[in-house]
Amino acid sequence: SKPGIYLISCNDDTTYLGATKNLRKRASGHLSHSGRFHGQIFHVIETMETFDALVLRELEYKYLRAFKFEHNSPVASPYPNRE
């Protein structure tokens, strides 16, 4: 139930990157029968000991800048903009 960054490997060879304050809850939501990524593979790539929205957003953007993820849009991020 730690915060962190995750990847979902999709059957169509695309990848989704996400950030969440609770990895277990987010994986359950994505991979449930009614979830957007049902039947796909969920990978945790980085965890944090405590939730800090700005640090989590920076980690997410680090990975988004480094790789092209077909399902991602920084506009969709649930974290507040850094001023």
Side-chain angles (χ1 to χ4, degrees):
S1 60
K2 290 182 179 183
I5 305 295
Y6 62 92
L7 291 174
I8 296 178
S9 300
C10 301
N11 293 333
D12 64 0
D13 292 326
T14 60
T15 305
Y16 173 81
L17 177 122
T20 183
K21 61 183 176 180
N22 186 324
L23 287 161
R24 180 174 289 137
K25 184 177 178 182
R26 192 68 179 136
S28 296
H30 272 318
L31 304 176
S32 70
H33 285 291
S34 61
R36 177 177 177 192
F37 295 107
H38 175 70
Q40 312 305 313
I41 301 172
F42 190 95
H43 309 275
V44 174
I45 59 171
E46 193 158 343
T47 62
M48 299 167 50
E49 287 303 312
T50 59
F51 175 68
D52 179 318
L54 291 179
V55 172
L56 189 57
R57 183 182 178 106
E58 287 175 4
L59 285 173
E60 180 182 30
Y61 279 138
K62 175 180 92 171
Y63 288 104
L64 287 173
R65 281 190 308 269
F67 303 98
K68 180 181 186 232
F69 296 104
E70 298 83 354
H71 296 289
N72 288 92
S73 168
V75 176
S77 178
Y79 304 103
N81 287 328
R82 187 172 183 148
E83 304 282 331

